[in-house]
Amino acid sequence: MRETICEEDILSQFDRLIDEGTVVYNEDYHTVKELDKGFLFEFRILSSLTTKPQAPKDQQKHSEFKHSGCRPGSDINVSGYEVATLGSTHVLAVNKFPAARPHLLILTQDGFRRQYEALNIDDIAAAHQVLSSLSGRQLLLFNCGINSGCSRMHKHMQVFPAPHPENFELWPDSTDQVVPFKFFIHYFRDGLPFPEEILAVYQSLLGQAAACFENIALDSEAAVPHNLIINRNWLLVIPRRAAGFEGADTNAAGMLGMVWVHHEERMKLWLNKGPADVLARIGVPADAN
């Protein structure tokens, strides 16, 4: 496995895994755009999500299960999907259930690190290495805790290309969208800073997000449920109260307006419930005291 990140090799391996049928991805996926209460949505109907494992319901019981083919403590089998090592602490791998080309995972090499833990300097350094090595507009997502919309409990982040702004403008880059939930954002002045500065910004915003919760019971190592999104221009933390509402569930991508569903019926469920109202329910409503 490589110790450096080669974008050409990543795309080659991603395409090879698709050709072999071990990764399911249709680049011509169907999209539907919807503006609801001033917030723009893009629904992606992705066949790759049909066989994706269901999210754990109890993070403590989930941790007791043994998962075939995984390293000790892990519930994510990336054997055959690795593309690079990231120092001594992390590995970069192809996501088996992609929503973009390529869609990557950054996992801790320690399979006992958990998704409900906040990111530390090693995590941020690995994220910085990947974001700095890939060309174009990239998004890094971290779904912290079950209520954030995560589907696995081995600590991991996701990286994939951002949509082209002419096709779908992300609301942190827009001035005219109405965001229905509370969020905390920091804009970088001169591009992506060093990992130590990123960590300091993240911890500051996470502290502000934690103040949105009263009397929340957490394990000693657990952070408040939240989504973290980083690109070269900004860092965003979104506190989360639930993974979904009556079948309309999503992770950090959905809080950006990019809702990934495996079937058109699930999109209709979102539309029937009012997608902006769903995000307000699963986040913290923008008008909450």
Side-chain angles (χ1 to χ4, degrees):
M1 188 165 35
R2 298 178 64 99
E3 295 183 0
T4 58
I5 298 172
C6 175
E7 194 163 13
E8 183 178 348
D9 287 351
I10 289 173
L11 287 171
S12 177
Q13 182 169 349
F14 185 85
D15 292 341
R16 176 179 58 79
L17 291 169
I18 292 173
D19 291 340
E20 293 173 353
T22 52
V23 168
V24 178
Y25 178 65
N26 179 4
E27 199 161 12
D28 297 324
Y29 54 78
H30 182 51
T31 63
V32 175
K33 291 184 174 62
E34 179 79 14
L35 184 66
D36 184 41
K37 296 185 177 181
F39 191 88
L40 183 61
F41 289 86
E42 179 197 71
F43 291 89
R44 297 186 189 183
I45 302 173
L46 299 160
S47 56
S48 60
L49 301 183
T50 304
T51 57
K52 184 177 181 179
Q54 295 297 307
K57 301 302 181 185
D58 184 300
Q59 58 194 26
Q60 291 301 328
K61 290 182 179 179
H62 181 82
S63 300
E64 299 171 1
F65 297 152
K66 295 185 181 298
H67 299 269
S68 176
C70 300
R71 66 185 64 202
S74 177
D75 60 353
I76 304 176
N77 183 0
V78 295
S79 178
Y81 298 84
E82 306 100 325
V83 295
T85 56
L86 306 173
S88 61
T89 58
H90 290 75
V91 63
L92 184 66
V94 170
N95 190 337
K96 298 179 188 178
F97 311 100
R101 175 184 182 268
H103 192 157
L104 305 172
L105 299 179
I106 303 172
L107 305 96
T108 58
Q109 294 203 34
D110 179 356
F112 289 95
R113 296 267 58 87
R114 288 292 169 254
Q115 194 69 1
Y116 51 77
E117 302 168 10
L119 297 184
N120 58 33
I121 188 60
D122 291 331
D123 302 316
I124 296 293
H128 183 276
Q129 181 180 349
V130 174
L131 288 175
S132 300
S133 300
L134 298 178
S135 62
R137 301 172 68 250
Q138 302 289 329
L139 290 173
L140 180 138
L141 275 56
F142 175 55
N143 303 306
C144 185
I146 289 176
N147 284 349
S148 74
C150 71
S151 61
R152 300 286 86 186
M153 291 309 296
H154 180 173
K155 195 178 193 183
H156 66 281
M157 298 165 276
Q158 304 180 43
V159 181
F160 58 91
H164 194 285
E166 291 183 0
N167 297 327
F168 183 78
E169 185 176 29
L170 301 175
W171 60 260
D173 299 321
S174 171
T175 58
D176 57 1
Q177 290 198 48
V178 180
V179 182
F181 49 83
K182 287 187 180 296
F183 63 91
F184 304 92
I185 192 166
H186 176 89
Y187 289 91
F188 302 129
R189 291 183 178 181
D190 301 307
L192 192 68
F194 289 116
E196 291 78 10
E197 181 178 341
I198 297 174
L199 179 63
V201 170
Y202 167 56
Q203 290 176 336
S204 174
L205 298 189
L206 183 57
Q208 295 177 59
C212 294
F213 298 92
E214 293 183 1
N215 303 319
I216 185 172
L218 295 171
D219 296 326
S220 59
E221 296 181 346
V224 293
H226 66 278
N227 298 124
L228 169 69
I229 306 157
I230 307 175
N231 67 12
R232 293 188 179 97
N233 299 317
W234 40 261
L235 183 154
L236 172 66
V237 172
I238 303 169
R240 290 288 299 270
R241 298 188 301 171
F245 172 65
E246 296 182 353
D249 50 358
T250 193
N251 60 12
M255 306 306 281
L256 286 176
M258 300 183 297
V259 181
W260 304 336
V261 295
H262 69 281
H263 197 277
E264 191 170 335
E265 292 302 316
R266 186 56 60 92
M267 178 188 68
K268 290 179 180 178
L269 183 149
W270 271 83
L271 295 176
N272 289 337
K273 293 187 178 301
D277 289 339
V278 170
L279 295 190
R281 283 178 175 270
I282 65 179
V284 176
D287 57 0
N289 294 326

